[in-house]
Amino acid sequence: MKDLASAFTAANASVFAKLGLDPKHADVRRSDRPDLGEFQANGALAVAKAAGKKPQEVAQSVAAEWTATDLSPAPSIAGPGFLNFKVTADALTKRAQFVADDAHAGASSVEHKRRVVVDYGGPNVAKGMHVGHLRASIIGESVKRIYRFRGDEVWGDAHFGDWGFQMGLVITALEDELGGFDDKAKLDVRLKALTLDQLEAIYPAYAKRVKEGDIDVRDRARKATAALQGGSELHRTIWKAMHDVSMAAQKRDFASLGVDFDLWLGESDADPLIPGMVEDLDKKGLLEDDQGARILRVANPGETKKKKRDDGTVVEVESPDPLLVVSSEGSAMYGTTDLATIVQRMRDQKPDLILYCVDQRQADHFEQVYRAADKAGYAKRDQLEHIGFGTMNGPDGTPFKTRAGGVLKLQDLIGQAEEKARQRLKENEIGGDFSKEEFEDVAHKVAIAAIKFADLSNFRGTSYIFDLDRFMSFEGKTGPYLLYQSVRIKSILRKAEEQQIRAGAIEIEHESERALALALDAFDGALRAAYDKKAPHFLAEHAFNLAQAFSGFYTNCPILPSEGAVRASRLALAAATLKQLTLTLDLLGIDVPERM
């Protein structure tokens, strides 16, 4: 069954076609002015010139042709030619009953199913996860769930950064610490004792030395990277120890965040494909020698940008920049492994689409890689899409950091949120009768709901200010508020079951019932928008609107105290709301506890 907006659009398109008007302008959507109508259409303004009439006259013609139907009476006209519709009680009742009975809560599936890889997460080996990994993980997980729910075959891939210069840098640091790698027994003991905390101290220290101009460390790290990628047994042994320690910690962090992957692969998994790929690129005449390195030009003829030289002069240079495929030391670069990963995915998953959920500041890099893949014939440009996102910022408007100015670990952020959740639960007198285990489970779910909803309620392309106190409120547009409303409905349904009260056929009579039924109908539109735009905030907005509509319904339409068919109908509306609300939250990656 179509959602009401789609049903209105189809009916309005028929009227447009009958009047000789272009039906592509017959779109009907939810009204911005619910006092005038629940749905509206502005197409009369778009077709008026072609029809040789004023918009008001076109709207009058459409309204006159719209005889009363089961869907709606004839529309009213407002302003210069806006058509306003009100749904009949019968149509709204049928739609609400469909949502209540439908396993997908009224959501439609995609018409043409696709094979999709979602690349998200992306932490580096030898470094713990921090708040900078939060948005990719949260948004990517939600996009994966949305695509899968609508019927696509989807793989989520963590795509770990485990094969680049940072690996060579840590290997160089360990070499200095041990005074070389000649003593294999000493190295073996060191690797067995290796911890993530040690790696997190080693990497930034040596990265700082390179940044400050230590050419010796830089060059040795480059050679170590080349040796690793070249198959050196020694370097790969050290790499595996770093990899295993990091992976154990990162799997723990992802699990704590409620994020999971179908593919736990890294850049290293594409490494075996690189020699053959480089040879293929060379045979196709796509590689050029450039100061000892090998590059692939991705700019089309005439594509340039202005660039300021060190001496202040401005020149035109090709844009996008060439993709550096092989460094002067012979090692594969960041873009090389990304290109090889496309080859790997096209071979293994054969996707119709690969989505990259990565910071939008990486847009230029991905444009280089996508163009290179297209030029090489590995994937078409429209099969590759970057889902960029803004930053999570502190009160000063810059990327979130600790008070000391460092990068906050993800586990520390979750820990802070859990502590705040415990405080809020106690302040609201929730959990006094819970066991310690249940209380901690609820506190964790409240914490994760606060973090995730705060992020996903914003359009992914924008940055936002992280304010834990505001996000943890049980009132307003927050994750904890949505959990509370969900749990409230669960409590009502439990009491009904205890009293052996059964839900029945839905009948829409009261205005608050009407508002709730309209909110339930909106799920499919929100889901389609989230899918088409790869933007979970549409679902976050729907979840809040649905919870608000239920709150008004709960206040104005007593459920259990009512009687007979009215009580059975209202209980069915409550059950439909819970099903759709928990489903929406699940698509956002948010779990609902049984009670609060």
Side-chain angles (χ1 to χ4, degrees), residues 358-423:
V358 184
D359 190 326
Q360 63 189 11
R361 290 173 291 185
Q362 295 290 316
D364 290 344
H365 165 75
F366 283 112
E367 184 61 23
Q368 289 176 304
V369 174
Y370 298 166
R371 288 188 180 214
D374 189 52
K375 283 197 168 191
Y378 299 149
K380 294 180 180 178
R381 179 63 186 81
D382 60 8
Q383 290 180 281
L384 308 166
E385 184 174 348
H386 177 209
I387 307 175
F389 53 81
T391 54
M392 185 183 95
N393 297 331
D396 61 352
T398 62
F400 194 88
K401 294 185 181 298
T402 64
R403 290 181 181 177
V407 178
L408 185 65
K409 292 182 181 180
L410 183 58
Q411 276 298 317
D412 290 342
L413 176 69
I414 293 173
Q416 291 177 13
E418 288 173 337
E419 182 56 36
K420 185 66 68 174
R422 295 185 192 100
Q423 294 175 18

Side-chain angles (χ1 to χ4, degrees), residues 476 481-482 485 516 519 542-554:
Y481 166 75
L482 295 176
Q485 287 289 52
L516 180 56
H542 171 72
F544 179 67
N545 290 340
L546 181 60
Q548 288 284 82
F550 181 81
S551 183
F553 165 76
Y554 181 77

Side-chain angles (χ1 to χ4, degrees), residues 6-71:
S6 297
F8 269 116
T9 296
N12 201 37
S14 295
V15 173
F16 267 50
K18 191 172 182 179
L19 295 172
L21 306 171
D22 190 345
K24 77 177 183 181
H25 296 296
D27 184 61
V28 179
R29 59 183 177 82
R30 288 180 172 266
S31 178
D32 296 328
R33 291 285 305 276
D35 55 317
L36 298 176
E38 293 160 342
F39 292 85
Q40 68 180 47
N42 305 336
L45 283 73
V47 301
K49 185 175 180 180
K53 297 179 180 180
K54 293 180 179 180
Q56 181 81 215
E57 293 173 332
V58 174
Q60 289 170 352
S61 298
V62 173
E65 190 64 38
W66 250 92
T67 55
T69 66
D70 290 342
L71 186 61

Side-chain angles (χ1 to χ4, degrees), residues 85-99:
F85 302 87
K86 184 170 183 177
V87 190
T88 64
D90 183 59
L92 193 53
T93 294
K94 287 179 179 177
R95 177 62 180 163
Q97 189 66 60
F98 178 81
V99 171

Side-chain angles (χ1 to χ4, degrees), residues 298-305 316-320 367 371 375:
V298 298
N300 295 318
E303 279 191 295
T304 62
K305 66 179 178 181
E316 291 281 340
V317 297
E318 66 180 294
S319 178
E367 184 61 23
R371 288 188 180 214
K375 283 197 168 191

Side-chain angles (χ1 to χ4, degrees), residues 10 35 96-97 158 187 190 239 255 258 266 344 346 350 354 370 432 444 461 472 506 533 562:
D35 55 317
Q97 189 66 60
L187 174 62
R190 181 67 184 92
W239 171 85
Q344 179 187 40
M346 298 307 293
K350 300 177 178 60
I354 306 177
Y370 298 166
H444 177 73
M472 199 62 71
I506 293 175
K533 299 181 185 299
S562 57

Side-chain angles (χ1 to χ4, degrees), residues 129-131 134 252-253 255-257 392 400 408-425 439-440 442-451 466 468-469 472:
M129 289 179 65
H130 55 76
V131 293
L134 188 67
R252 176 204 66 201
D253 288 352
S256 184
L257 198 57
M392 185 183 95
F400 194 88
L408 185 65
K409 292 182 181 180
L410 183 58
Q411 276 298 317
D412 290 342
L413 176 69
I414 293 173
Q416 291 177 13
E418 288 173 337
E419 182 56 36
K420 185 66 68 174
R422 295 185 192 100
Q423 294 175 18
R424 288 285 189 267
L425 289 169
F439 183 83
E440 287 301 314
V442 171
H444 177 73
K445 286 175 178 172
V446 169
I448 297 301
I451 292 170
F466 187 81
L468 191 55
D469 284 331
M472 199 62 71

